[in-house]
Amino acid sequence: MSDLFPAKLRTLGRCFCIITGASRGFGWALAHKVSHLVQPGSVLLLVARSEALLRTLKEELRSFASERELHVHCVAADLSTRDGVNATVAAAKRERALADDVDHVLLVNNAASLGDISGFVSFTDLEQVTSYLSFNVSSALALTAGLLQVFPHAPGRRRTVVNVSSVFALQPLQSWVLYCTAKAARGMMFRVLAQEEPTVKVLSYSPGPMETEMQEEIRRLTGISHRLLPCHEPADKLMKLLLDYDFRSGAHLDFFDV
Amino acid sequence: MSSSGGDLGRALCVVTGASRGFGRAVAVDLSRLVRPGSVLVLVARSVDDLRALQAELARPEAGGTGLTVKCVEADLAQTDGVERAVKASEEAAAAAEIEHMVLVNNAASLGDVSRCAQSFTRMAEVDSYLSFNVSSALCLTARLLQAFPRRPGLRRTVVNVSSLCAVQPYPTWVLYCSGKAARDMMFRVLAEEEPDIRVLSYAPGPLDTAMQTEARSTTADPKMKQMISDLFAQGRLLSCEESSAKLMKLLLEDKFTSGSHVDIYDV
């Protein structure tokens, strides 16, 4: 599709975009980026647990959004629960009525948690492990499935699913068994989706270590500091990938390689 | 800590999903490769099948230093299932002065392969699958490693029964592929953390088992279904015995890189 538009006019189209974990960090940066790249008549569905933070984000986008005829809708939902996932799908169904003629559905599965950073042998609590995988794996699958059903394949409407991944989906890291395991599971899950659905373009994107609360948590738990990227840099690269739209569906791409 | 060559030493072997299929074949092979005084703990939901296997394998030799076989009826997706398997192992190994602990994480399920990823809208279904196929393997392994910590004179080997599906995505197999990919990564992390533990993800190949039959009859993707049916029709399914024999070879040679994924066709 990129060859139909000269570079400076390239956009994400009239887009229905859902971003999870949108209230801060990378999700927040993506919400801002996407809002600048969509055409009038687009919908931005922002999902996170914190209603207050989402409203702040919506407020930040407000004047820009009204100029651009961008409808911003917040869904305060805990995606670690079935109710949260169902509420998000229901909200998308309702908002779809406002956006019947979108030509692009974009889902960004960004919400995630770090989990306990601890030695492998400490993970003896089945409920703890199951609960972690539920939020970081099951809910991404259930949400993606639900949303793809809300927006089935239709001519003239492309569907894009992004999995916010990590180098640790591919590479093990000591004491990070929960995070690595979940990212590896998600990576495979989205590769299967790509194989099954030629009408959905799937991208696993690893943004690199960013200035986020998750990184602060890492620093607190491990005492290790990395050189961190400001969120807008990996967000910009992801936008470029989505605008170029020539990645192979199911690919895993890393900020540092692109 | 290198292998003594011909056998696995005086060992505690724990095999999950031991009642049939690959797990059963592994249990049988291990029983033949361990020295007198060893303990074999068989874990599965079906206690009747386990008892039948136990009867075949237990060898109370003269002097009472044969092979002790314990059956543990356990649903590993439940917290108490893992606990029971570990308790039985601890009790059985208490007097045994074992020099080798071998855990074979074999228990697994196929998941519903008649549906596409985008049909999995129910979190509970995915949770339940991951709980049995991923979480329980982590918790059982962690508990056993705690129960049998590192000490001089003790080798520890952890096997993850893996699959080509850990490495390649297959249409309509989202749960199985994701679970196997998760497990492979999980055990790679273990290998990174604990260099003294020998960790192997072994992909046994297409086996002639109940799981294979289930796959053949329920896979929705036409290409996949054809591929699996062809394997069966052309007699290219492997027996559990021949695949288990290859696993034993790997364990006896003990040269594999810890944490690596080895496919039967690589051996």
Side-chain angles (χ1 to χ4, degrees):
Chain A
M1 280 202 179
S2 60
D3 55 332
L4 295 177
F5 305 97
K8 67 180 182 341
L9 291 180
R10 282 187 314 152
T11 73
L12 293 171
R14 198 161 47 249
C15 184
F16 194 111
C17 177
I18 305 108
I19 302 175
T20 66
S23 56
R24 35 192 182 117
F26 191 54
W28 178 93
L30 289 176
H32 275 276
K33 295 291 174 188
V34 165
S35 66
H36 281 77
L37 291 172
V38 297
Q39 286 185 322
S42 293
V43 177
L44 187 53
L45 199 70
L46 305 172
V47 190
R49 280 169 304 176
S50 166
E51 177 145 22
L53 289 176
L54 286 175
R55 266 201 252 108
T56 305
L57 175 56
K58 181 171 175 169
E59 193 50 40
E60 283 168 9
L61 296 170
R62 194 168 54 88
S63 56
F64 181 79
S66 68
E67 275 169 36
R68 300 288 228 96
E69 282 176 56
L70 169 65
H71 178 73
V72 179
H73 186 79
C74 301
V75 182
D78 182 348
L79 292 172
S80 71
T81 69
R82 168 193 68 186
D83 289 345
V85 171
N86 291 342
T88 304
V89 175
K93 234 189 222 161
R94 277 194 310 270
E95 298 305 310
R96 183 187 57 187
L98 298 170
D100 237 350
D101 55 350
V102 294
D103 55 42
H104 188 189
V105 178
L106 170 61
L107 165 60
V108 183
N109 286 292
N110 166 74
S113 62
L114 186 60
D116 194 3
I117 296 190
S118 198
F120 186 103
V121 298
S122 70
F123 291 100
T124 57
D125 183 342
L126 196 64
E127 265 187 57
Q128 178 202 20
V129 179
T130 293
S131 159
Y132 181 82
L133 294 178
S134 182
F135 175 47
N136 288 276
V137 186
S138 309
S139 94
L141 177 54
L143 182 64
T144 300
L147 291 172
L148 288 176
Q149 290 191 14
V150 170
F151 293 100
H153 174 56
R157 183 171 74 194
R158 55 192 172 126
R159 299 182 296 169
T160 311
V161 174
V162 176
N163 163 35
V164 177
S165 185
S166 166
V167 65
F168 301 116
L170 307 178
Q171 212 173 282
L173 183 62
Q174 289 190 41
S175 303
W176 286 55
V177 68
L178 292 185
Y179 189 82
C180 291
T181 299
K183 289 306 192 197
R186 287 167 66 114
M188 175 56 82
M189 197 164 101
F190 287 102
R191 286 172 73 193
V192 172
L193 178 65
Q195 285 266 306
E196 288 173 353
E197 306 287 340
T199 65
V200 179
K201 230 174 154 177
V202 183
L203 174 64
S204 284
Y205 177 69
S206 166
M210 302 174 286
E211 288 163 359
T212 61
E213 285 180 40
M214 185 181 276
Q215 279 294 336
E216 276 174 36
E217 201 186 342
I218 292 168
R219 194 168 40 236
R220 211 180 52 244
L221 293 173
T222 66
I224 300 171
S225 272
H226 303 272
R227 234 189 76 231
L228 300 176
L229 302 160
C231 293
H232 69 83
E233 281 186 35
D236 278 333
K237 276 235 175 118
L238 177 57
M239 291 305 113
K240 182 172 193 301
L241 288 168
L242 293 175
L243 291 171
D244 289 345
Y245 215 59
D246 54 14
F247 55 87
R248 179 183 54 84
S249 188
H252 174 108
L253 296 175
D254 192 291
F255 169 81
F256 293 109
D257 299 332
V258 183
Chain B
M1 199 119 279
S2 63
S3 117
S4 50
D7 61 59
L8 296 171
R10 196 165 50 252
L12 163 70
C13 298
V14 182
V15 182
T16 66
S19 56
R20 50 190 180 134
F22 189 63
R24 190 183 201 281
V26 166
V28 170
D29 277 352
L30 289 172
S31 76
R32 294 180 185 143
L33 290 176
V34 296
R35 290 199 187 154
S38 290
V39 179
L40 181 56
V41 177
L42 309 172
V43 187
R45 281 169 306 176
S46 161
V47 74
D48 293 339
D49 290 341
L50 289 181
R51 294 227 185 281
L53 180 56
Q54 179 187 41
E56 264 184 55
L57 298 181
R59 300 190 308 263
E61 279 152 13
T65 55
L67 174 68
T68 304
V69 180
K70 291 278 183 224
C71 300
V72 182
E73 177 184 4
D75 179 351
L76 292 169
Q78 306 298 320
T79 305
D80 70 324
V82 170
E83 246 348 272
R84 263 187 285 118
V86 175
K87 281 255 140 30
S89 305
E90 285 176 308
E91 281 163 13
E97 288 177 16
I98 55 159
E99 52 198 2
H100 192 180
M101 191 212 69
V102 181
L103 167 61
V104 181
N105 286 294
N106 166 75
S109 62
L110 188 59
D112 189 345
V113 294
S114 70
R115 293 154 50 199
C116 284
Q118 69 171 5
S119 74
F120 286 95
T121 55
R122 272 198 333 120
M123 254 173 94
E125 183 181 9
V126 185
D127 282 348
S128 164
Y129 184 84
L130 294 176
S131 180
F132 177 51
N133 288 275
V134 184
S135 311
S136 82
L138 172 53
C139 294
L140 177 63
T141 305
R143 273 295 279 121
L144 270 175
L145 292 175
Q146 275 188 359
F148 297 94
R150 182 177 176 184
R151 65 167 168 80
L154 178 67
R155 288 164 64 195
R156 298 182 299 166
T157 302
V158 175
V159 177
N160 163 35
V161 177
S162 182
S163 166
L164 184 54
C165 293
V167 175
Q168 293 275 38
Y170 288 101
T172 69
W173 283 48
V174 70
L175 294 184
Y176 191 76
C177 289
S178 304
K180 289 306 190 193
R183 287 166 65 114
D184 264 31
M185 173 57 83
M186 199 163 101
F187 289 103
R188 286 172 73 192
V189 173
L190 176 60
E192 283 280 306
E193 283 187 36
E194 310 267 357
D196 74 298
I197 302 178
R198 304 285 291 136
V199 184
L200 174 64
S201 284
Y202 175 68
L207 304 174
D208 191 3
T209 59
M211 186 183 276
Q212 185 72 220
T213 305
E214 192 189 345
R216 195 164 56 247
S217 57
T218 61
T219 295
D221 182 71
K223 268 207 218 124
M224 219 6 205
K225 194 181 176 99
Q226 189 62 56
M227 194 175 79
I228 297 172
S229 297
D230 285 349
L231 284 172
F232 173 69
Q234 296 162 15
R236 288 191 289 139
L237 291 180
L238 303 170
S239 70
C240 295
E241 290 70 29
E242 58 183 301
S243 187
S244 178
K246 287 267 161 81
L247 173 58
M248 295 306 124
K249 181 169 189 287
L250 289 165
L251 295 180
L252 288 171
E253 283 176 359
D254 201 22
K255 293 212 187 88
F256 56 88
T257 300
S258 189
S260 62
H261 174 105
V262 179
D263 190 285
I264 186 175
Y265 294 115
D266 301 331
V267 183

